[in-house]
């Protein structure tokens, strides 16, 4: 079967499936995401810092504080996943059609190369990720127990205040960090395909697994690969977005300008304070969250693609 680009209706059909998937991701992995960000921007010792952060959040703000900042991702991840996975599918087909193919063993049918899967993942990042991530970080770092004591009362108020203080482009603070982090989807989707082919080689053996389980496991292991590669840039991004934390965010009528430090400056500060270890803070919570969330996501996505007859890059 030859790869062809699908018309817009299929892209939007993919998008609807991924809207549901984005909201499911928010529910299933939110507490660990908050935990990872709080650990990632902390300075000082490394031993036991995860439990200290967890205890401080619950002690100061209560258990419900573990869901702070969940509204932007609940909406944003739906949009981001629609763009990410919808464009991923079309990039795969485009690359298959333009020479990045190889014959499938046994059948000889063309399939996308492993490198092609990685490049498709690299190209499928979404610009809308930065504002959503920024609002999430700002809201999660508010440690006041009472809502009236917080600088931001919610995501809409947070976005409005950022625009007033920094201008509309302030919502894209940390954009370079977002890009540096999200390019690592190259490794996620490349490794996903490597694992899928590895499971495929188990066919006819006592360890053979069905396609759905292979999707689930490959998605989880691929997420491990992504976070191991992405966590340094993700920590830099979170520090950029958190600025001027732990100082208070300026009032909207403040005459003092707010200039977010660059990616390189933030990376140097992390290294000076914590060394190389500082770039990998929060990796443990990220890995705990990564497997179930992404395994489920790719299980659903790949299953729907097969159900709709849209999978043409893996024979």
């Amino acid at each position: 079967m030859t790869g062809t680009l699908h018309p817009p209706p299929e892209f939007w059909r993919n998008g609807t499936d991924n809207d549901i998937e984005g909201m499911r991701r928010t529910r299933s992995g939110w507490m660990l995401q908050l935990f990872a960000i709080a650990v990632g921007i902390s300075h000082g010792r490394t031993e036991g810092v995860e439990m200290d952060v967890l205890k401080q959040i619950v002690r100061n703000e209560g258990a419900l504080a573990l869901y702070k900042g969940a509204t932007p991702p609940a909406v944003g991840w739906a949009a981001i996943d629609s763009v990410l996975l919808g464009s991923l599918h079309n990039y795969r087909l485009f690359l298959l059609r333009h020479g990045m193919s190889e014959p499938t063993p046994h059948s000889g049918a063309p399939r996308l190369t492993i490198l092609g899967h990685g490049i498709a993942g690299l190209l499928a990042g979404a610009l809308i990720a930065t504002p959503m991530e920024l609002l999430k970080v700002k809201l999660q770092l508010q440690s006041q127990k009472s809502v009236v004591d917080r600088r931001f009362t919610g995501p809409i108020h947070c976005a409005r205040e950022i625009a007033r203080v920094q201008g509309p482009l302030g919502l894209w603070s940390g954009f370079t960090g977002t890009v540096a982090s999200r390019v690592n989807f190259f490794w996620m989707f490349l490794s996903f395909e490597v694992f899928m082919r590895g499971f495929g080689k188990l066919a006819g053996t006592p360890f053979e697994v069905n396609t759905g389980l292979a999707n689930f496991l490959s998605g989880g292991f691929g997420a491990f690969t992504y976070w191991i590669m992405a966590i340094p840039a993700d920590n830099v991004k979170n520090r950029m977005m958190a600025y001027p934390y732990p100082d208070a965010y300026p009032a909207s009528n403040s005459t003092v300008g707010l200039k977010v430090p660059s990616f390189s400056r933030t990376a140097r500060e992390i290294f000076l304070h914590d060394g190389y270890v500082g770039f990998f803070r929060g990796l443990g919570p990220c890995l705990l969250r990564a497997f179930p969330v992404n395994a489920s996501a790719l299980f659903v996505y790949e299953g729907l693609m097969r159900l709709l007859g849209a999978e043409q890059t893996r024979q």
Side-chain angles (χ1 to χ4, degrees):
M1 184 180 294
T2 58
T4 56
L5 287 174
H6 286 270
E10 177 165 339
F11 181 88
W12 298 117
R13 181 173 57 182
N14 293 339
T16 301
D17 299 332
N18 299 324
D19 286 344
I20 299 170
E21 185 53 38
M23 289 182 279
R24 186 206 57 76
R25 288 179 59 197
T26 302
R27 293 195 304 270
S28 59
W30 187 249
M31 287 186 288
L32 287 171
Q33 177 74 6
L34 165 63
F35 193 27
I37 289 176
V39 172
I41 66 169
S42 61
H43 284 304
R45 66 186 179 86
T46 57
E47 295 183 2
V49 67
E50 290 88 352
M51 289 307 300
D52 283 350
V53 168
L54 177 61
K55 290 176 182 177
Q56 288 174 19
I57 292 173
V58 175
R59 184 187 305 119
N60 294 336
E61 306 170 69
L64 290 179
L66 295 173
Y67 290 91
K68 283 191 303 182
T71 303
V75 178
W77 272 342
I80 289 170
D81 283 356
S82 294
V83 175
L84 172 66
L85 295 177
S87 59
L88 172 72
H89 170 63
N90 283 278
Y91 281 131
R92 282 175 171 175
L93 292 175
F94 178 84
L95 293 172
L96 177 66
R97 184 180 180 184
H98 288 81
M100 297 200 73
S101 62
E102 62 185 11
T104 303
H106 309 301
S107 70
R111 68 178 181 184
L112 188 62
T113 64
I114 289 178
L115 179 61
H117 280 277
I119 293 174
L122 173 66
L123 296 173
L127 289 177
I128 56 176
T130 301
M132 184 276 288
E133 292 279 349
L134 179 66
L135 297 179
K136 176 189 71 176
V137 170
K138 295 291 190 190
L139 294 172
Q140 286 182 337
L141 292 177
Q142 298 189 118
S143 58
Q144 299 85 356
K145 188 169 186 178
S146 174
V147 176
V148 298
D149 295 330
R150 296 175 184 174
R151 176 66 179 85
F152 308 114
T153 59
I156 296 176
H157 180 250
C158 183
R160 186 185 302 124
E161 291 298 291
I162 291 172
R164 286 176 177 173
V165 173
Q166 299 175 249
L169 291 180
L171 291 168
W172 275 265
S173 298
F175 175 73
T176 53
T178 304
V179 172
S181 176
R182 293 181 71 83
V183 295
N184 290 285
F185 278 121
F186 171 89
W187 300 109
M188 178 172 177
F189 289 105
L190 182 147
S191 61
F192 175 81
E193 184 63 19
V194 170
F195 285 118
M196 282 296 298
R197 295 188 185 188
F199 285 120
K201 292 179 180 179
L202 298 177
T205 74
F207 303 101
E208 180 178 357
V209 297
N210 61 46
T211 303
L213 180 57
N215 290 155
F216 183 86
L217 294 174
S218 298
F221 293 140
F224 283 168
T225 306
Y226 169 79
W227 276 110
I228 290 170
M229 300 300 294
I231 191 68
D234 197 69
N235 272 330
V236 175
K237 176 209 71 177
N238 289 336
R239 300 274 183 110
M240 293 173 70
M241 291 180 171
Y243 186 81
Y245 182 86
D247 296 331
Y249 191 80
S252 58
N253 58 358
S254 174
T255 58
V256 180
L258 182 67
K259 183 174 177 60
V260 176
S262 66
F263 184 90
S264 58
R265 178 184 168 188
T266 305
R268 285 196 300 270
E269 289 179 352
I270 292 175
F271 181 75
L272 289 174
H273 280 94
D274 303 311
Y276 292 110
V277 175
F279 292 103
F280 291 89
R281 283 184 180 273
L283 179 60
C286 283
L287 293 180
L288 286 174
R289 169 186 175 274
F291 192 98
V293 169
N294 291 281
S296 301
L298 287 166
F299 170 78
V300 172
Y301 170 71
E302 293 285 341
L304 287 171
M305 293 293 285
R306 289 192 300 276
L307 181 65
L308 298 172
E311 175 53 67
Q312 301 181 31
T313 61
R314 185 183 300 113
Q315 302 295 332

